[in-house]
Amino acid sequence: MRGFAGLVALLLWPALTCAQPQAERNHPADHFALQLPLQVSGANGVVQLTLPLAVYQASRQPGLADLRIYNDAGQALPYHLDLPGARSEQSASERSATLFPSLQAGAEDPRQAAPVVDLQVRADGSLHWRSDAPRSAPDRLVELIVDLGSSGADERLDSLRFEAPADTPTYRALLQIERSDDLRWWETVAVEQLDWLDAADGSRLQNDRIDLPSGQGRYLRLRWRDGQPRLFAAIHGRWVSTALAPVSRLQLQLDAQPGAQAGDSLYRSSPAISATAIGLVLPEQNLVLPVRIGEYARRGARPADPVRLQVWLQTTAWRLLRDGQERQSGLVQIAPRASEQWVVRTDPGLPAPALLLQWQPQRLIFTARGQGFRLAVGASREMLRDLPGGPVPLSQVAPGGSTGDLDGLEQAQLGHPVSGPPVPSPAAVSAETDRRPWVLWAVLGLGVLLLAGLSWRLYRQLGDPAATEGRGDH
């Protein structure tokens, strides 16, 4: 009987194997055309990754619907896709200002004296003494006029840094700072204390910076509210500028294939690529190429029905020499457009250009649960039906996260790509899916027939007295 049971199990094994889901036998990522190992530090539960070009090229579904994130246990992890907005970057530079000490006029107390400003403003806005004679610091200083110099349109004065007067180990002053753009109207912008103190051990304590509010005007006037007026060794303005950081872009060049009619060039792309700029690379110099760009639309529902060109854009590409230097047309900005097939129509007989697609890569944000993470992409819609996972709202990946928080997330590092088995076409997947039940029933039917034959043979042996006696002699 043990031999009989083994034979039955051997017969049923193909059926059981065929009935077992493929996802249970392999890692789920094996169903995809491309796998990218992801390395993270393990110190953060939510990480991000700017998607590389290879992910878009491998994807077969619009909107990257065939993208999944798995850990080593084969669990599909929640993820969110978004387009990061433009980020601002702040930079600072320090530039020395030009100092003009004002003379005392007729008062014993310099703080009560009326200053004499012997300055002129040149066409570029810079200040200069009216006389070419060198000006030294007056014996009794009244005030300082400071020329900050010209600044960029995106720069603002953040603060002033003062260098202590020469040969002054200890100095303290209370300064009033006024600002003007014409040397006539002044606005008080700060009243702050400055301190320098040399310690016995040779170190120096100093409070040498005064913050200023944003405002207009390149000229400052410094007056002493308290302390002895002294000419500072130097005054440095700290300028802060804020600029938008350039947004990263991906670019793909597609080669032309023959289209449906003369003058048409066909370009095959991934439907996951949503181009926001396109360009044409001409193969010859001194060529001007009027083009219409779009996609084919079938006139009827049958595959044999003719197609027509649905035009999205009309433009002219060119590549010309001018004074020995080559110049060519650039990219054309378009509304986001995704298509598996792009068509460029020109006059018949003209050379076919290459097509450039440019777009902003999306940011992938996922929950790093477990270890051994893999990004998988490139599967048919039929395969995805049996596989869990997919994009979710941001609240299910990083609850309470804001845009600023996302920018500071840890960046996952990409490992070497792993190419999976060739992804069959949807028709092949459908045929394989339709054929699997028939294979299962055929195997089960064959097993039933063999079992019936074995049962009939056993019945005949048990009903034959000679055979029964023969077994008894043994």
Side-chain angles (χ1 to χ4, degrees):
M1 291 299 291
R2 285 194 300 268
F4 177 73
L7 180 59
V8 172
L10 181 63
L11 291 173
L12 292 179
W13 174 251
L16 295 175
T17 303
C18 186
Q20 184 181 12
Q22 183 73 15
E24 296 180 5
R25 300 198 303 270
N26 301 323
H27 195 287
D30 295 338
H31 290 268
F32 297 82
L34 178 67
Q35 301 176 39
L36 292 174
L38 303 179
Q39 300 172 0
V40 301
S41 67
N44 298 287
V46 180
V47 297
Q48 65 173 322
L49 172 72
T50 300
L51 295 179
L53 177 61
V55 169
Y56 289 94
Q57 290 179 295
S59 178
R60 297 187 56 196
Q61 303 302 324
L64 292 170
D66 55 348
L67 188 149
R68 296 291 185 272
I69 299 290
Y70 294 103
N71 58 20
D72 268 353
Q75 299 170 326
L77 304 178
Y79 71 86
H80 176 76
L81 288 174
D82 78 339
L83 279 177
R87 293 184 298 172
S88 60
E89 292 183 343
Q90 193 174 80
S91 60
S93 62
E94 198 173 73
R95 299 194 293 270
S96 297
T98 305
L99 310 183
F100 298 91
S102 295
L103 304 177
Q104 177 185 355
E108 294 297 331
D109 187 351
R111 287 172 292 184
Q112 302 297 325
V116 177
V117 180
D118 190 24
L119 299 175
Q120 66 176 354
V121 182
R122 293 188 176 175
D124 61 357
S126 61
L127 294 181
H128 293 268
W129 295 109
R130 292 185 184 277
S131 171
D132 294 334
R135 299 299 179 107
S136 60
D139 293 336
R140 302 185 69 179
L141 184 65
V142 177
E143 64 183 20
L144 275 179
I145 301 298
V146 179
D147 183 3
L148 297 169
S150 60
S151 60
D154 60 342
E155 287 186 319
R156 66 176 182 87
L157 184 64
D158 176 75
S159 61
L160 298 175
R161 182 174 63 86
F162 295 80
E163 291 188 17
D167 302 325
T168 308
T170 300
Y171 182 72
R172 172 174 293 179
L174 179 63
L175 288 185
Q176 174 178 310
I177 303 177
E178 302 169 357
R179 190 169 189 172
S180 173
D181 58 1
D182 58 5
L183 294 176
R184 292 185 300 173
W185 301 97
W186 297 90
E187 176 188 7
T188 300
V189 293
V191 178
E192 295 291 342
Q193 186 86 27
L194 294 175
D195 298 278
W196 286 270
L197 177 62
D198 285 346
D201 60 359
S203 61
R204 184 172 231 201
L205 302 177
Q206 58 188 34
N207 170 34
D208 62 353
R209 186 176 293 276
I210 296 179
D211 295 332
L212 297 180
S214 300
Q216 299 295 323
R218 64 180 285 177
Y219 312 118
L220 299 178
R221 183 167 65 185
L222 277 57
R223 291 180 172 179
W224 278 257
R225 289 277 192 93
D226 189 23
Q228 181 66 31
R230 296 290 303 276
L231 182 62
F232 296 101
I235 299 178
H236 308 280
R238 182 177 185 268
W239 296 88
V240 176
S241 61
T242 302
L244 292 178
V247 177
S248 62
R249 303 282 180 182
L250 293 178
Q251 187 166 288
L252 179 64
Q253 180 170 318
L254 304 175
D255 295 328
Q257 302 177 15
Q261 69 179 53
D264 284 2
S265 297
L266 181 67
Y267 307 84
R268 301 189 182 277
S269 176
S270 165
I273 296 176
S274 183
T276 55
I278 59 176
L280 296 174
V281 181
L282 304 186
E284 299 177 4
Q285 286 184 341
N286 297 330
L287 177 63
V288 178
L289 195 66
V291 298
R292 286 182 289 172
I293 303 175
E295 67 177 352
Y296 285 137
R298 199 166 297 280
R299 296 183 183 275
R302 297 175 301 176
D305 290 335
V307 296
R308 62 179 179 85
L309 179 63
Q310 181 178 347
V311 178
W312 301 332
L313 174 69
Q314 296 188 45
T315 186
T316 299
W318 48 271
R319 180 181 173 187
L320 299 171
L321 286 175
R322 181 176 180 181
D323 298 329
Q325 299 294 323
E326 183 179 87
R327 303 189 181 191
Q328 55 187 340
S329 54
L331 295 172
V332 178
Q333 303 297 317
I334 62 172
R337 173 75 66 174
S339 179
E340 290 184 278
Q341 295 183 354
W342 296 71
V343 179
V344 174
R345 175 168 292 177
T346 65
D347 292 336
L350 293 176
L355 178 66
L356 283 179
L357 301 181
Q358 189 182 86
W359 69 99
Q360 181 185 357
Q362 292 166 284
R363 174 172 55 184
L364 171 73
I365 303 165
F366 70 95
T367 306
R369 186 178 73 247
Q371 57 185 358
F373 305 107
R374 277 190 267 180
L375 184 156
V377 67
S380 64
R381 185 173 288 103
E382 288 74 12
M383 286 185 176
L384 294 176
R385 290 175 183 171
D386 299 329
L387 295 175
V392 298
L394 179 61
S395 60
Q396 299 181 23
V397 178
S402 63
T403 303
D405 297 333
L406 298 181
D407 292 340
L409 289 177
E410 175 188 345
Q411 286 278 356
Q413 302 299 315
L414 287 173
H416 294 292
V418 178
S419 297
V423 179
S425 64
V429 173
S430 178
E432 180 182 354
T433 305
D434 295 340
R435 188 167 56 248
R436 188 176 298 171
W438 293 103
V439 174
L440 176 61
W441 282 110
V443 173
L444 290 175
L446 178 61
V448 170
L449 291 176
L450 292 175
L451 289 175
L454 291 174
S455 299
W456 175 251
R457 182 178 179 183
L458 180 60
Y459 172 78
R460 292 187 60 186
Q461 289 179 352
L462 292 176
D464 187 351
T468 304
E469 293 175 1
R471 286 195 300 273
D473 294 341
H474 292 288

